[in-house]
Amino acid sequence: MASYTYIDFSRTNIESNLTKDSSIKASIVNILSTARGSLPGNPEFGSDVHRYLFEPMNAFTKISLIDNIKSSLYRNDPRLATVNVSITEDKSNYKLAVTIEFTTKQDNEPQIITVNLKG
């Protein structure tokens, strides 16, 4: 696994030494956890997933959320080649488990990350 310095968006905006895989996964988490329009100077960065957290999770809402996640990731991380998203509802803990399978433009090896969204 190659290691290189990558400046990523983070809560502390610190340059860190990350592996390629972990920097992309960190980027995905940062994109999904940042409300679109909240980053000064870059109003398109982030996603609108927070708008879905208190909506009834029917088929329409799920499809709309998946589309929002995919478009947010493609818009904000140009390293991504393919993105597939699945959502599992955990009603007992009031959260959504979002599983994202992705490939990068430099590596066709599929990678998976699961992000838990909680209202």
Side-chain angles (χ1 to χ4, degrees):
M1 196 178 298
S3 178
Y4 63 96
T5 301
Y6 174 73
I7 299 172
D8 206 347
F9 293 101
S10 69
R11 287 179 173 75
T12 57
N13 287 330
I14 295 175
E15 185 176 334
S16 58
N17 190 12
L18 298 168
T19 65
K20 177 180 70 169
D21 298 342
S22 64
S23 74
I24 293 173
K25 289 179 181 179
S27 176
I28 289 171
V29 171
N30 285 332
I31 291 165
L32 295 182
S33 62
T34 303
R36 190 163 67 154
S38 67
L39 188 63
N42 193 353
E44 288 301 309
F45 182 82
S47 70
D48 294 323
V49 297
H50 63 283
R51 295 182 181 183
Y52 295 89
L53 295 179
F54 296 103
E55 294 295 321
M57 195 48 61
N58 56 34
F60 175 77
T61 306
K62 195 178 273 193
I63 290 169
S64 184
L65 177 57
I66 288 170
D67 287 345
N68 185 277
I69 290 170
K70 289 169 93 173
S71 65
S72 297
L73 295 177
Y74 283 128
R75 180 179 61 249
N76 292 293
D77 198 327
R79 299 172 293 175
L80 296 172
T82 62
V83 175
N84 292 307
V85 179
S86 64
I87 297 173
T88 306
E89 233 181 322
D90 183 354
K91 291 181 181 182
S92 62
N93 292 312
Y94 305 104
K95 67 180 179 181
L96 299 173
V98 179
T99 302
I100 302 165
E101 182 179 338
F102 64 94
T103 61
T104 65
K105 292 178 181 174
Q106 294 192 346
D107 184 10
N108 255 353
E109 185 72 27
Q111 300 177 58
I112 296 176
I113 181 173
T114 300
V115 179
N116 290 312
L117 303 176
K118 193 167 187 174

